[in-house]
Amino acid sequence: QVQLVESGGGLVQAGGSLRLSCAASGPTFSSYDMGWLRQPPGKEREFVAETRWNGGSTYYAYYADSVKGRFTIFRDNAKNTVYLQMNSLKPEDTAVYYCAARGKGSYEYNYWGQGTQVTVSS
């Protein structure tokens, strides 16, 4: 069982930056694919970014087109934490951001955090 706790959300002006953190409990964090998804007001939840384990010591990062070049996902396995650095924020980035974990062999995310609100004012 993996528990995920997000932090770092808040209110920021357009053009500003925020860093979200997701602390994970449970064993073998390093073998999990970790993702960030978001749900804008009145919309469906959407993919933002993911760090995917390749089975060795390498992780690959994937991003939604809407955040490429502005957001960076990275992880610190020693701290069981995954981060989302968000720069050049836009009002359309306003959403509840969720951290999620997917175990080896799974096709969908198995575990979810409670979400953290990010609001970008214009």
Side-chain angles (χ1 to χ4, degrees):
Q1 187 76 10
V2 175
Q3 293 184 329
L4 305 173
V5 179
E6 301 102 332
S7 61
L11 174 64
V12 64
Q13 289 188 332
S17 298
L18 279 176
R19 177 178 292 184
L20 305 183
S21 300
C22 174
S25 64
T28 63
F29 170 79
S30 61
S31 68
Y32 280 83
D33 298 334
M34 299 298 299
W36 288 96
L37 297 92
R38 67 187 181 186
Q39 187 164 17
K43 297 184 179 180
E44 297 291 317
R45 188 156 53 189
E46 62 186 24
F47 170 78
V48 176
E50 180 177 273
T51 170
R52 194 175 300 172
W53 182 51
N54 79 335
S57 59
T58 304
Y59 296 86
Y60 295 100
Y62 299 88
Y63 299 93
D65 288 343
S66 59
V67 307
K68 276 181 185 176
R70 301 188 298 121
F71 290 11
T72 303
I73 186 171
F74 59 102
R75 64 196 294 163
D76 185 339
N77 289 337
K79 296 182 178 180
N80 277 18
T81 301
V82 62
Y83 303 91
L84 184 69
Q85 177 67 41
M86 306 185 294
N87 299 328
S88 302
L89 282 161
K90 304 175 181 180
E92 51 264 44
D93 295 318
T94 295
V96 177
Y97 283 72
Y98 297 90
C99 173
R102 182 173 61 239
K104 186 179 179 181
S106 297
Y107 292 97
E108 298 180 345
Y109 291 111
N110 308 106
Y111 306 101
W112 293 84
Q114 81 286 355
T116 186
Q117 177 70 47
V118 171
T119 302
V120 184
S121 63
S122 57

